[in-house]
Amino acid sequence: MDIAHKDSPSLLRRLTPGDALFTLALIGGALFALRQYGGFMDIYDKAILLLTVPALAALGVTWKPFRLFLAVSAGLAVCSMTLYGGDLARAEQVFFLKYLISSQTAIMWMSALFFIATGAYLLGLAARSNFAEATGTALTWCAVTMGTTGLFVRWYESYLIGTDVGHIPISNLYEVFVLFSLITGLLYLYYEGIYATRRMGAFVLTVISAAVAFLLWYTFSREAHEIQPLIPALQSYWMKVHVPANFIGYGAFALAAMIGVADLLVRHGILVSRLPAAKVLEDVMYKAIAIGFAFFTIATILGALWAAEAWGTYWQWDPKETWAFIVWLNYATWLHIRLTKGLRGALLSWWAVIGLLVTAFAFVGVNMFLSGLHSYGSL
Amino acid sequence: MRPRSTSRALYELLSSMRFAISLLTVLGIASIIGTVVKQNEPYNNYLSQFGPFWFPVFEKLGLYSVYNSFWFLTILGFLVLSTSACIVRQTRPMLKDMRGFREHAQETSLASFAHHARIPLLLPRAEARDALLAYLQRAGFAVRCNERDKSVLLAAKQGSLTRVGYFLAHGAIVLICIGGLLDGNLPLKLRMALGGKQVTTGNQLISDIGPESRLGLDNWSFRGNVFIPEGKSANTAVVNVQDGILLQDLPFTVSLRKFHLEHYESGMPKRFASDIVLTDPATGQSIEKTIEVNKPFEFAGVMMYQASFEDGGSRMRMLAHDLRPGRGTSAKPLEAAVGDSLKLNSQGLDHSLELGSFRAFNIENMANDAAEPEGGTLTRLEKHLGSGARSPTRKDMQNVGPSIQFKLRDSAGQAREYQNFMQPILQDGAWYMLTGMRDSPSAPFRFMRIPMDGDGRPDSWFEIRSVLLDTSRHAELARRFTATALPASAASDVRGRLEETTRRTLELFALGGFDGLGKFIESTIPAGERDKAADVFIKILEGCAWEAWSLARSAAGAPAPTPSPAHARLLRDTLNATNDSLHYGAPVYIQLTGFDEVRATVLQVTRSPGKPIVYLGSLLLVLGVFAMLYIRERRLFILLKDSGEALVALGSNRKSMDVDERFEQHRDAIAALLTPPSRP
């Protein structure tokens, strides 16, 4: 057996026909989008679109289930757009739009599916039922698929309202809460696959459910789901890279915190037989914080570049910026302690849990309690 | 170990991980302070917020500008020092580590690795060595062989670049801090301290500000604002420093052709853009450019951004309607620019009008907030399905036209603030001129609704009101009202009583409005009959208003009004507005009749020499972070002993689960290689 090749095979060797098909579909999709919607993009938007292709292709190659997920989400979004046929009013007339794949409906499905998935994982944990946990996984996949479809369709709908209104749906608190739920869900599914254990689902899905609960409250009592046009400061291609990078960070930190909770339980002898070993949990927590920190660093820098263009200064200690800096410091310290001091154990888990509070304040609290330049989507 | 000297001990402390972690924590906590106390507000705001005792204390502590304060910069300075010391301390061992293969490692030390295994070596040493060399190279290792007396050590390593990541990431922090320092206000503070510059107050003409408050063209780091009205130009920027200003000369002249202000249908701002012309005084050449939010422009080393916009001195044409009782109706034309203060001292007035601001349009939600029928959960859910565009609560955004905001200050210096709309606004099915009043800037405006008559003008209201409130005409009104209300056959004492009641009602109303009447009713009429009495008083007032209108119209030579529902509504609205006007607090109503709008743009201009340094640092930081977190350094040692045994050991700079896995893979692969294929 030649393990060396299995150990570090060349990229080409790992490619399956499915990967090739996926990459071709991505290229096709990007070219179609350029041809169809290129008129709404400036040169930077086009560059970002083209760079998305290799990024998603790499993700699909390293994480195979992602390919099917993206294909189904995109397929549903295309169905929805076809059913709309350029007329917003059809959301009320066409059955499949009204009850399945218009943006709001899809997001409602996402919310419901996340709730049921949480229930399934909790049931699996309580009853030691592999079937319930497998159901949880399937439902989580369905939830992220519906949510992604919802965001794609919302993007399209915004242009139907008016070409001057149209924009990528990651511009206010409502939209980024959907994004947060999606990214946290996807990150969780990734680690679930890598570590081949579904036992962490009950914890991670709980934090997603909390986000979804907030989303529903925000929709029903504040009517926050209405698509709003962009104020001048937000009209920039930078949003397309700054916001997603930020939410990979937030999502990963949230995931790490919930794994930290599980780790603390295990360390205190609770649910030991039902949860993965502390060693596994610790490893997932580290991986999540590492990826979160790397992307949060990128996001903060991208934010600074954007701020330099929009507000004339790359850093002005605006409350959101300052809290982003505090979050960054927090996880920088966490990594220093773990990597350099080689410390392990309950302290790091506690730190990750408290880190979520700091992150949550930077994410939502700043908008609620402090005023500043980032005050879009107040409560 | 005893430190050799104090400086050595200091160096040890600064470069220690414990110090770095404490510093990061302190920095995080210090940063929070600046998000709790609003930064860089006008000093008066702090004074009123914290009071005269705490205000100077907090000022000394630098809480109003935390991130520029001495102590915060000191912490940042320590961060730079600590990071630098850490880099210096790590450089030699790290470089040695990166280059070295540790091919002289002894068997005993290899055997102490957490990951090690002994495998039987069944091949000749040289053959095994060659097979392993090929294997290690395929697996991406760099290898060095150390032939020994009775053994050979293959020392292999990969992922040494992670150490480069360390230098990149930590060097980046130092670069970013230095760059940030160059762009902060430290250079300005130094210039003020060394160059003898002084801040001055903002309330003077730019030309009056002397050289001691001016910064020259040689200033390489500044951030200021340029205010330019349409059609005007500027070549100096205003730099705000604490509670004063400095002027910064610019190496060019910038003039504003036009400022664009666009809105979405919902009233949200859509686009702010300035069409500017930049002229180089040296060459006289000029270029045209449009600057908008997110689209800055650099000229002569100065970056220009669309920061905000203001009124550039729009001219307003107004009518001042006299509201004082007994003076009839008269309106005096006025003209003023936004920002002006105008004396209203004719006709015994002693007020000044301070024209604060002008808005060319106001987009308001004009929907009737009729309560929606509450459905069940399913109905509510259904309402939130569909596209994200639909609005479940119907909104009806409308532009209700221009408005002005101004203060009226009386001779005693007391001021009230007013907001007047230029055009009538449709409310509850009728048209009104709206004028809002408030006593303090923090209070909301209370609006008086002046009804529009059949000609679409507010004139009838002024006329009726002037007669109703004029005590010298009350007797006449009472007589006319009585004549209309009573049949000709009514007894003269009945007639006299009604006339007296009417006169009294008018008097009470003119003095205190509905409130005055209400108080009168409460003090003189038994509780059971008050409602009926109130009805009577209202009927009398409405009748008198009608008579007042007839009088006014006949004086103007117009035919008498005819009864109709529209006229009845007009009279009710007139009475309400007249009542409100008694609490209006101003002797005049200022009607906006025309305007010439002039906008002004505010551009932010900066020279930030630190920007490239910060950007370079940011790039290095990202590369460094990824290298540190995702390049795994591994050292694989294989000691082939003539005694027929091989010792495999794997070292890693990170302990994680995949090291275990990877070790097992290598161990098994190596064991397979060291076993001859012919063996059964």
Side-chain angles (χ1 to χ4, degrees):
Chain A
M1 188 174 68
D2 196 346
I3 294 176
H5 283 285
K6 197 181 147 202
D7 190 32
S8 63
S10 69
L11 183 68
L12 274 178
R13 270 173 184 263
R14 265 189 298 173
L15 281 183
T16 62
D19 290 328
L21 199 66
F22 178 66
T23 309
L24 281 178
L26 282 174
I27 295 171
L31 292 179
F32 175 77
L34 269 185
R35 213 180 80 102
Q36 197 78 2
Y37 305 116
F40 299 113
M41 306 178 192
D42 65 15
I43 181 82
Y44 301 103
D45 291 309
K46 287 177 182 166
I48 290 168
L49 175 66
L50 291 179
L51 287 174
T52 313
V53 173
L56 290 178
L59 189 54
V61 167
T62 46
W63 184 31
K64 306 292 183 194
F66 182 77
R67 299 172 308 181
L68 182 65
F69 150 75
L70 195 63
V72 175
S73 307
L76 285 175
V78 169
C79 283
S80 177
M81 285 156 68
T82 315
L83 288 175
Y84 265 117
D87 180 11
L88 258 184
R90 288 172 67 88
E92 297 300 306
Q93 300 149 2
V94 181
F95 179 82
F96 281 109
L97 285 181
K98 174 84 181 169
Y99 294 105
L100 198 63
I101 47 175
S102 61
S103 71
Q104 270 312 110
T105 313
I107 288 168
M108 287 296 161
W109 275 112
M110 176 200 81
S111 308
L113 287 164
F114 268 134
F115 282 145
I116 308 172
T118 311
Y121 276 120
L122 284 169
L123 184 70
L125 190 69
R128 298 176 194 266
S129 158
N130 287 333
F131 174 74
E133 286 179 337
T135 310
T137 304
L139 288 171
T140 308
W141 274 113
C142 293
V144 292
T145 306
M146 286 313 277
T148 309
T149 305
L151 283 189
F152 275 137
V153 175
R154 190 178 168 91
W155 198 346
Y156 173 74
E157 284 169 2
S158 69
Y159 277 90
L160 291 187
I161 296 174
T163 49
D164 62 341
V165 174
H167 59 83
I168 186 168
I170 47 175
S171 69
N172 59 28
L173 205 54
Y174 174 83
E175 291 166 342
V176 296
F177 254 92
V178 180
L179 186 70
F180 171 80
S181 309
L182 288 181
I183 288 181
T184 314
L186 283 171
L187 280 168
Y188 166 70
L189 287 169
Y190 176 75
Y191 289 120
E192 186 186 271
I194 294 287
Y195 288 86
T197 170
R198 296 196 166 107
R199 298 286 158 78
M200 305 173 292
F203 290 87
V204 181
L205 265 284
T206 303
V207 77
I208 299 180
S209 282
V212 169
F214 172 84
L215 191 72
L216 292 181
W217 169 80
Y218 208 33
T219 306
F220 284 97
S221 84
R222 298 296 168 96
E223 305 295 349
H225 63 286
E226 282 175 45
I227 297 173
Q228 299 288 348
L230 292 183
I231 57 166
L234 290 184
Q235 295 165 8
S236 170
Y237 59 90
W238 285 110
M239 188 162 74
K240 291 180 175 170
V241 284
H242 169 61
V243 180
N246 232 319
F247 278 87
I248 294 176
Y250 285 152
F253 294 150
L255 186 135
M258 295 317 284
I259 302 294
V261 172
D263 184 60
L264 286 172
L265 289 179
V266 170
R267 279 175 200 282
H268 287 88
I270 305 165
L271 293 177
V272 176
S273 64
R274 293 162 199 254
L275 285 175
K279 191 176 139 194
V280 175
L281 292 171
E282 200 170 51
D283 211 56
V284 180
M285 187 164 64
Y286 163 69
K287 290 247 165 67
I289 286 183
I291 192 100
F293 182 74
F295 274 90
F296 198 78
T297 306
I298 294 180
T300 309
I301 290 169
L302 290 173
L305 295 176
W306 186 5
E309 243 182 68
W311 301 324
T313 161
Y314 50 81
W315 195 266
Q316 52 187 330
W317 298 102
D318 164 76
K320 196 81 170 182
E321 288 174 350
T322 310
W323 274 95
F325 177 61
I326 293 167
V327 168
W328 189 85
L329 283 179
N330 179 56
Y331 289 102
T333 315
W334 193 96
L335 287 169
H336 273 99
I337 290 181
R338 183 186 152 109
L339 296 180
T340 316
K341 298 292 265 188
L343 198 80
R344 295 288 188 280
L347 174 74
L348 284 179
S349 297
W350 275 115
W351 198 308
V353 173
I354 292 164
L356 179 62
L357 299 182
V358 179
T359 308
F361 190 84
F363 176 12
V364 194
V366 171
N367 298 41
M368 282 167 69
F369 302 115
L370 308 172
S371 63
L373 293 164
H374 271 82
S375 35
Y376 6 87
S378 55
L379 292 174
Chain B
M1 193 180 73
R2 234 182 69 113
R4 267 169 283 169
S5 68
T6 327
S7 62
R8 181 76 205 167
L10 198 65
Y11 171 70
E12 294 277 339
L13 174 70
L14 276 179
S15 61
S16 73
M17 176 58 56
R18 181 174 303 189
F19 187 74
I21 289 174
S22 319
L23 210 54
L24 291 179
T25 316
V26 170
L27 192 57
I29 294 167
S31 305
I32 296 177
I33 298 171
T35 68
V36 178
V37 180
K38 268 192 161 187
Q39 299 290 292
N40 301 313
E41 298 263 296
Y43 273 29
N44 278 339
N45 294 11
Y46 294 120
L47 188 59
S48 59
Q49 190 182 348
F50 299 121
F53 179 75
W54 289 110
F55 171 77
V57 179
F58 289 168
E59 192 196 350
K60 277 276 176 295
L61 290 174
L63 292 194
Y64 310 139
S65 186
V66 168
Y67 307 107
N68 286 316
S69 69
F70 175 73
W71 57 268
F72 193 82
L73 292 178
T74 309
I75 299 177
L76 276 182
F78 267 107
L79 184 72
V80 171
L81 254 160
S82 153
T83 315
S84 310
C86 192
I87 295 174
V88 170
R89 189 177 177 175
Q90 298 285 350
T91 302
R92 265 202 13 229
M94 274 218 187
L95 283 180
K96 203 175 144 205
D97 223 35
M98 261 176 78
R99 290 213 204 93
F101 282 80
R102 297 197 211 146
E103 68 270 28
H104 300 294
Q106 293 303 306
E107 185 178 351
T108 43
S109 75
L110 293 180
S112 68
F113 274 45
H115 294 99
H116 77 273
R118 290 180 193 275
I119 300 169
L121 170 62
L122 301 169
L123 290 178
R125 206 173 88 182
E127 197 183 319
R129 187 196 63 197
D130 294 344
L132 286 174
L133 272 176
Y135 167 78
L136 288 171
Q137 272 155 10
R138 265 200 318 255
F141 282 98
V143 196
R144 190 166 285 183
C145 280
N146 180 244
E147 299 280 353
R148 297 174 183 181
D149 208 9
K150 282 176 182 162
S151 62
V152 58
L153 178 70
L154 298 175
K157 60 165 189 173
Q158 65 179 189
S160 295
L161 275 180
T162 190
R163 308 269 174 172
V164 177
Y166 166 84
F167 290 109
L168 291 180
H170 290 79
I173 300 294
V174 176
L175 277 181
I176 291 172
C177 287
I178 291 172
L181 216 56
L182 290 179
D183 289 343
N185 77 351
L186 206 60
L188 182 69
K189 277 185 180 166
L190 282 178
R191 197 167 275 265
M192 283 170 67
L194 301 175
K197 300 288 182 190
Q198 285 170 355
V199 298
T200 178
T201 56
N203 344 318
Q204 50 185 321
L205 288 174
I206 281 182
S207 51
D208 293 346
I209 295 176
E212 72 284 355
S213 299
R214 276 179 185 267
L215 299 167
L217 295 177
D218 57 337
N219 188 6
W220 44 269
S221 173
F222 62 81
R223 177 176 308 284
N225 287 319
V226 192
F227 170 89
I228 325 158
E230 281 174 335
K232 300 273 169 53
S233 49
N235 57 7
T236 35
V238 174
V239 179
N240 287 305
V241 191
Q242 288 141 14
D243 51 348
I245 60 159
L246 285 172
L247 288 188
Q248 169 67 51
D249 292 329
L250 296 175
F252 50 80
T253 304
V254 50
S255 40
L256 180 68
R257 282 255 165 99
K258 187 166 171 49
F259 183 77
H260 302 274
L261 176 61
E262 292 168 23
H263 286 78
Y264 295 105
E265 277 174 24
S266 64
M268 264 173 68
K270 178 177 169 182
R271 181 168 178 253
F272 308 129
S274 306
D275 293 340
I276 56 166
V277 183
L278 294 158
T279 312
D280 186 337
T283 62
Q285 282 183 330
S286 57
I287 55 167
E288 288 183 32
K289 190 75 198 168
T290 300
I291 291 183
E292 46 188 305
V293 181
N294 271 312
K295 285 174 190 157
F297 181 65
E298 185 173 354
F299 187 71
V302 177
M303 251 330 209
M304 277 170 283
Y305 306 86
Q306 181 64 56
S308 65
F309 65 94
E310 283 175 25
D311 194 279
S314 303
R315 291 206 73 79
M316 300 294 121
R317 287 181 293 282
M318 297 160 286
L319 276 177
H321 293 270
D322 203 330
L323 291 181
R324 288 169 298 174
R327 289 182 171 263
T329 57
S330 71
K332 185 174 178 277
L334 299 173
E335 196 170 326
V338 170
D340 283 359
S341 178
L342 204 65
K343 277 277 171 220
L344 303 177
N345 44 14
S346 61
Q347 300 162 348
L349 282 174
D350 189 13
H351 286 70
S352 60
L353 172 84
E354 297 165 10
L355 202 49
S357 65
F358 165 73
R359 289 172 65 100
F361 51 89
N362 292 274
I363 294 168
E364 304 279 342
N365 183 359
M366 304 300 283
N368 291 325
D369 289 333
E372 281 193 46
E374 271 293 312
T377 315
L378 266 182
T379 331
R380 285 192 68 199
L381 177 64
E382 175 122 12
K383 263 195 222 149
H384 288 85
L385 299 181
S387 79
R390 202 168 51 120
S391 160
T393 51
R394 205 165 49 81
K395 281 191 188 129
D396 186 10
M397 306 307 288
Q398 269 181 25
N399 179 7
V400 296
S403 68
I404 46 171
Q405 208 160 313
F406 59 89
K407 278 184 183 154
L408 269 182
R409 196 176 292 282
D410 63 20
S411 52
Q414 288 287 330
R416 284 197 177 86
E417 200 172 1
Y418 296 86
Q419 184 188 22
N420 288 3
F421 287 85
M422 182 179 182
Q423 291 163 1
I425 293 167
L426 185 66
Q427 283 191 338
D428 310 326
W431 294 90
Y432 303 93
M433 296 287 268
L434 290 190
T435 166
M437 186 275 278
R438 63 182 174 192
D439 295 318
S440 77
S442 54
F445 281 108
R446 286 176 292 139
F447 282 91
M448 174 164 95
R449 308 198 299 181
I450 301 176
M452 308 300 283
D453 56 26
D455 303 332
R457 304 167 64 86
D459 299 4
S460 298
W461 180 73
F462 289 111
E463 286 158 2
I464 301 171
R465 179 185 175 280
S466 120
V467 178
L468 271 180
L469 298 184
D470 187 349
T471 42
S472 66
R473 305 189 71 170
H474 284 172
E476 184 188 1
L477 275 182
R479 200 165 50 246
R480 286 182 63 124
F481 172 71
T482 311
T484 323
L486 291 179
S489 55
S492 69
D493 63 324
V494 175
R495 196 176 291 273
R497 267 212 307 281
L498 181 59
E499 224 178 279
E500 176 53 27
T501 308
T502 306
R503 216 185 44 74
R504 183 93 184 101
T505 307
L506 285 170
E507 193 180 270
L508 282 167
F509 181 71
L511 220 63
F514 292 135
D515 270 1
L517 277 173
K519 283 199 188 101
F520 174 75
I521 291 172
E522 269 176 34
S523 60
T524 56
I525 295 174
E529 291 167 40
R530 281 179 193 163
D531 283 353
K532 221 175 109 195
D535 275 352
V536 172
F537 282 123
I538 294 293
K539 286 236 162 55
I540 291 175
L541 277 178
E542 282 176 3
C544 289
W546 185 268
E547 296 304 330
W549 195 14
S550 307
L551 275 175
R553 284 179 68 101
S554 71
T562 51
S564 74
H567 286 163
R569 162 109 194 234
L570 177 66
L571 283 184
R572 273 200 309 279
D573 288 340
T574 297
L575 279 177
N576 287 334
T578 306
N579 172 62
D580 291 346
S581 74
L582 296 170
H583 313 288
Y584 188 56
V588 285
Y589 164 70
I590 304 289
Q591 185 186 2
L592 178 62
T593 54
F595 60 86
D596 298 309
E597 192 186 13
V598 181
R599 293 178 181 142
T601 188
V602 180
L603 300 179
Q604 187 182 142
V605 289
T606 68
R607 244 183 208 162
S608 31
K611 200 157 102 171
I613 303 174
V614 171
Y615 284 8
L616 175 68
S618 302
L619 179 68
L620 297 185
L621 181 63
V622 172
L623 293 177
V625 165
F626 270 88
M628 283 179 80
L629 293 176
Y630 291 103
I631 297 179
R632 296 181 178 88
E633 191 191 53
R634 300 229 165 86
R635 289 174 184 277
L636 189 59
F637 297 95
I638 308 166
L639 182 68
L640 302 173
K641 295 200 288 187
D642 286 350
S643 57
E645 187 192 55
L647 175 63
V648 182
L650 181 74
S652 168
N653 65 332
R654 302 265 186 271
K655 280 185 212 144
S656 61
M657 279 175 67
D658 51 321
V659 182
D660 307 355
E661 254 169 61
R662 206 40 65 85
F663 174 69
E664 281 158 25
Q665 280 172 13
H666 283 306
R667 188 195 57 201
D668 296 347
I670 290 166
L673 279 174
L674 297 185
T675 310
S678 56
R679 204 164 162 259

